[in-house]
Amino acid sequence: EAGAPTAEPASSGASRRQSQIVNKHGTSTNIDDLRVPEAMKALLRELDVDASGSITEENLNDSLKVFRNLKAGLDQDGSGQLTHQEMEEGVKLLNRILQGKRENSTDMEYGHLPQCIQDVMTDWDADGSGKVSAGELAAAAKAYKKIQQ
């Protein structure tokens, strides 16, 4: 959908799983039977983070905590209102950071860090890439050691 954040969905529509909501009394309702928009059904299915097929009150509470923390963390201007741009930028940054970790990247992006840290990293970023490589970091450490002697 136009204007939606670009994070990849955890599951595709082609392999949609049957999920049910289970209340604290153990009564369950199939999500497909709910009279709500399809987007709401898709959101509810995504709350089944353990892929058990059941969404419990514990799942809902855990997801609510995660969402509140994510919302607070992505709110760059501290307004308490998360804009589409803040969501988009935050999701992209998170994806880049996690991809770098998965790939054991030798580069560290620093544009999202506090300005005082960015100022130092810019000095170490010899090629001006917006990232400090392990080699650039090693050179900075070597130069620092020389100064200390």
Side-chain angles (χ1 to χ4, degrees):
E1 180 177 319
T6 57
E8 291 296 318
S11 62
S12 69
S15 62
R16 188 173 84 190
R17 61 187 180 266
Q18 290 290 317
S19 295
Q20 57 187 355
I21 298 173
V22 181
N23 69 21
K24 62 184 174 184
H25 305 294
T27 305
S28 64
T29 302
N30 188 316
I31 289 176
D32 288 331
D33 295 339
L34 297 174
R35 295 178 57 185
V36 296
E38 287 301 316
M40 178 63 76
K41 291 177 185 180
L43 177 62
L44 289 169
R45 281 186 203 96
E46 291 301 324
L47 296 179
D48 182 13
V49 295
D50 61 3
S52 67
S54 296
I55 302 162
T56 64
E57 194 167 342
E58 183 179 11
N59 292 130
L60 294 172
N61 287 329
D62 289 346
S63 295
L64 183 57
K65 286 178 194 174
V66 168
F67 179 74
R68 285 180 175 155
N69 286 323
L70 188 60
K71 184 179 172 186
L74 296 178
D75 183 14
Q76 295 175 16
D77 62 7
S79 68
Q81 299 177 342
L82 196 57
T83 67
H84 175 77
Q85 182 177 352
E86 288 170 326
M87 282 192 300
E88 189 76 25
E89 290 174 6
V91 168
K92 286 179 181 178
L93 173 63
L94 183 59
N95 283 333
R96 286 193 310 271
I97 290 170
L98 293 175
Q99 180 180 3
K101 183 176 180 178
R102 278 191 304 271
E103 295 173 357
N104 198 26
S105 175
T106 60
D107 293 332
M108 181 173 51
E109 193 174 329
Y110 59 86
H112 62 285
L113 298 174
Q115 189 60 51
C116 60
I117 302 294
Q118 287 184 46
D119 293 344
V120 172
M121 300 294 258
T122 299
D123 288 342
W124 297 351
D125 184 7
D127 64 2
S129 65
K131 300 175 183 177
V132 173
S133 69
E136 290 167 329
L137 191 57
K142 186 177 180 180
Y144 178 75
K145 284 181 182 178
K146 271 190 175 180
I147 292 171
Q148 295 301 310
Q149 292 175 353

